[in-house]
Amino acid sequence: MAVRQCRAARKRAAWGVRAARCPGRRCASTSAYKRFSELLPKEERNNACSARVPKSQILTLPELRANPFQHRICHVFSTSDDGDDSMSFEDFLDMLSVFSDSATSDIKSHYAFRIFDFDDDGTLDRKNLEQLVNCLTGQGEESRLSTAEMEQLIQNILEESDIDKDGTINLSEFQHVVSRSPDFASSFKIVL
């Protein structure tokens, strides 16, 4: 358990997000704690601060159910060593903190970048951009762009965003683009 907590704390520190504290049963946010514990089986609710909620339960939240990036959101915020994208209460609080109105644009853009980086390699390449566009436009055949339309859109995105012209978008390039979008911070949120 100590190794898991240390790894989770290092991961949060590397992301630049202050880990939420959950001393005993008195947790930082009553409404978040209530929502988190409701996702647990009744017999585990008394120990919600030390429990992990499976990804399948997290995805039942109405705020995530319709989000096209729901699986990526769980993946990015989960500190599970098992790779199952389950969430601890601290993971859940971190997610809510990033998606809150009080999070800075830098933190929001950092996490948006990580969510859009489908292969977790630290850059948004053509494949990531195609997956991003497909998530935003829908997965159905009727909403899918043609190959030519997709290629043109990706080319336009790269021309606008790829400052160093290496064929990918890195975090600083992404943050530069986002900084020119005044509605980004207000639209990148989840309200419980």
Side-chain angles (χ1 to χ4, degrees), residues 32-123:
Y33 178 76
K34 184 175 185 287
R35 285 298 292 277
F36 183 80
S37 64
E38 288 170 352
L39 296 170
L40 291 167
K42 287 184 182 185
E43 62 273 5
E44 292 183 36
R45 289 182 183 170
N46 288 337
N47 298 317
C49 287
S50 60
R52 296 195 73 82
V53 172
K55 175 182 172 181
S56 61
Q57 282 299 108
I58 296 289
L59 295 179
T60 65
L61 290 169
E63 298 84 0
L64 288 180
R65 200 172 326 157
N67 190 310
F69 301 101
Q70 60 182 324
H71 296 284
R72 287 295 303 161
I73 290 169
C74 288
H75 178 75
V76 166
F77 287 98
S78 173
T79 57
S80 173
D81 291 332
D82 300 332
D84 61 2
D85 295 341
S86 63
M87 285 193 191
S88 68
F89 181 61
E90 286 193 16
D91 297 340
F92 190 72
L93 278 179
D94 287 345
M95 178 183 72
L96 294 180
S97 174
V98 168
F99 285 107
S100 74
D101 286 329
S102 61
T104 65
S105 287
D106 280 346
I107 288 177
K108 286 179 179 283
S109 62
H110 174 83
Y111 279 91
F113 181 83
R114 291 196 59 226
I115 290 166
F116 301 156
D117 182 12
F118 289 89
D119 56 10
D120 296 318
D121 70 350
T123 62

Side-chain angles (χ1 to χ4, degrees), residues 140-151:
E141 288 299 318
E142 67 281 350
S143 60
R144 191 172 295 265
L145 298 179
S146 71
T147 303
E149 292 170 325
M150 179 67 78
E151 185 56 37

